[in-house]
Amino acid sequence: MTTFRLILKEMLQRKFNFLLSLLAVVIAAALFVSFFTTGESSKSETIRLMRDIGFNLRIIPKKTNMEKFWQTGFSEYTMPESHVYDLATHGGISYAHLTAILQKKLTWEGREVFLTGIAPEISPPGKKKTPMIFSIEQGNVYIGYEIAQSLGLGKGDRIDIFGKSFIIAQSLSESGSEDDIRIYAHLHDVQGLLKMENSINEIKALQCLCIVNNEQINSLEMLREQLAGILPDAKVILIQNIASAREGQRLMAERYFGFIIPFVSVVCMTWIGILAMLNVRERRQEIGIMRALGYGSGKIAALFLGRAVIIGLIGAVVGFSVGTSLALKFGPVIFKVTANMIEPRIQLLYWAIIASPAMCALSVFIPAMSAVAQDPAITLREE
Amino acid sequence: MVRLDKASKTYRTKHGDVQALDRVSLQIQKGELVIIRGPSGSGKTTLLLSAGGMLRPTEGHVIVNNNDIYAMSKRERAIFRAENIGFVFQLFHLVPYLNIIDNVLMPTGVGRSRFGQKDAKEWLNRLNLAERMHHRPSELSAGEKQRTAIARAMLKRPQIILADEPTGNLDPENSDEIIGYLAEYHSSGGTVIVVTHGKAVDQYADRIVYLKKGHIDKP
Ligand SMILES: Nc1ncnc2c1ncn2[C@@H]1O[C@H](COP(=O)(O)OP(=O)(O)OP(=O)(O)O)[C@@H](O)[C@H]1O
Ligand SMILES: [Mg+2]
């Protein structure tokens, strides 16, 4: 009669206690597996997105007062236009689009407008990309929705800005932002109008990545360092993009589960411990007779610890299956990542197979010790 | 074979001490069948458990096969029990989730054992339990349960059988049968110490020891 056989027979005979204990393990393991299955997938997708997309940056003069910047939407300081070419030709940074911008808020026709001068986009050498920001020919302007509406202007009309005549090449549709009171013109026109030749106050850099040893590195830290080297009088603001929004969502889910997982683990371990205690109480006389037959403390403890380990193993396998199915089914909804990114992670099964029996054994440690400590001379007298 | 040397046992409880054994000295020879008899609470069970290495006397010694069993470590004593002593209890104490043959095989779970399935079946045959082999204890009559417990106690052919009111829950017919098996074990050379109120065993006994308030007394 081996200990293993005894354990199996007992579990199969006292199914209720066994199944309840198993349920606790399955719940904990399934939660753990489903979280990491979705979480890992979500993480790798975010990393891929960031690697492919890179960062979208606004580069502005270092001296800029940020309080003012966020209020007005532009920097009151300027930097030389040549900065954008320095950046474009440096080689330490890869980008998809670079644009030099000079913008000011001013009064025109009795109203406050933004005058934004945009230079034609610079694409990386050798790669002609479809512009992300529109480019405007000299002598032309695009006007925002609000301006067009209130002044009754439209495409093809001529307007006069500070004594210079422009043709409205485009009247923009409503954006619901300050862009509705914006006049876009060519950078050099705006520089001329404002008498700020060769000055800009912003560079928009889209999909930027750092290049180190011919490899693109996706780290905002390194990118900032590189930029500081190239443009010492500039600083960088990250424009939130899809990738970083998703990263934020993932981190939030991680924090949430970071609380839930230990909590559920403790509840399940307590639950398993209580069930084991009931099991020990129910088996007092059995333990007593084993003592009379010469079973040692090790064997008695092994009976309960072994039982917990077996429950932990079965629970790990069942919990892995349940957790993986749940992740495949509900993961895409919760994490809003593409369903095909979430796939079964076999490493989690290995982890579950190690961790869950260990935690089960830990949970039943006190009940097992109480079984060992029982005095058979007392239990064998009990009716 | 079994010797108690001024063995005393005091149970300490919240409501005061209970002197269950009071300097009992008793010597039982190899192959003897000894009956222990006495009123309820006189210390019979206490004496039997002490003799079997299950209950340490507060004072005195218990010598079995020339070993002072309470001078051994707990572990050594367990092994000693497994190799030398078989217990039979009034309440059978079968393991409820094991069938009859597995219950009889329980003693093989400790120590190296040359006994196994074959011996268990032999005992079950001899005790008329062959047909019950795969039943669970809950499906058995009281007499069948005690026969199972007897088979379990005797499986490894221990030198000493300790039986505490083995017929206490049985009708006279079943009692006689159980006593018969104990007598048989005795006649094949085993040492048997049995606590019993019944007189059926008297004819086989070498000796009757009377206990009264923890002392050995005259009848
Ligand atoms: N665990 C215990 N704690 C306190 N007192 C105990 C304990 N076990 C037994 N006793 C007391 O010790 C005395 C002897 O008990 P024991 O069971 O040995 O008597 P017994 O002769 O076997 O009685 P019975 O014929 O009723 O079985 C009794 O007075 C009993 O109340
Ligand atoms: Mg008694």
Side-chain angles (χ1 to χ4, degrees), chain A residues 381, chain B residues 44-45 164-165 195:
Chain A
R381 281 172 191 272
Chain B
K44 305 182 293 294
T45 298
D164 192 0
E165 303 194 32
V195 171

Side-chain angles (χ1 to χ4, degrees), chain A residues 378 381, chain B residues 11 13 18 20 39-46 165 197:
Chain A
I378 292 172
R381 281 172 191 272
Chain B
Y11 292 107
T13 71
V18 180
S40 178
S42 55
K44 305 182 293 294
T45 298
T46 304
E165 303 194 32
H197 296 292

Side-chain angles (χ1 to χ4, degrees), chain A residues 9 286 291 295 299 381, chain B residues 11 81 93 97 102 106 109:
Chain A
K9 296 216 168 209
E286 175 192 337
R291 288 296 201 187
Y295 281 65
K299 278 239 169 190
R381 281 172 191 272
Chain B
Y11 292 107
R81 235 180 0 248
H93 293 310
Y97 55 83
D102 283 340
M106 277 296 282

Side-chain angles (χ1 to χ4, degrees), chain B residues 90-108:
Chain B
Q90 180 177 357
L91 295 170
F92 326 129
H93 293 310
L94 300 179
V95 178
Y97 55 83
L98 296 180
N99 62 23
I100 298 316
I101 182 140
D102 283 340
N103 260 289
V104 174
L105 282 167
M106 277 296 282
T108 64

Side-chain angles (χ1 to χ4, degrees), chain A residues 264-275:
Chain A
V264 169
S265 300
V266 168
V267 169
C268 287
M269 285 175 79
T270 312
W271 176 355
I272 291 164
I274 290 170
L275 283 167

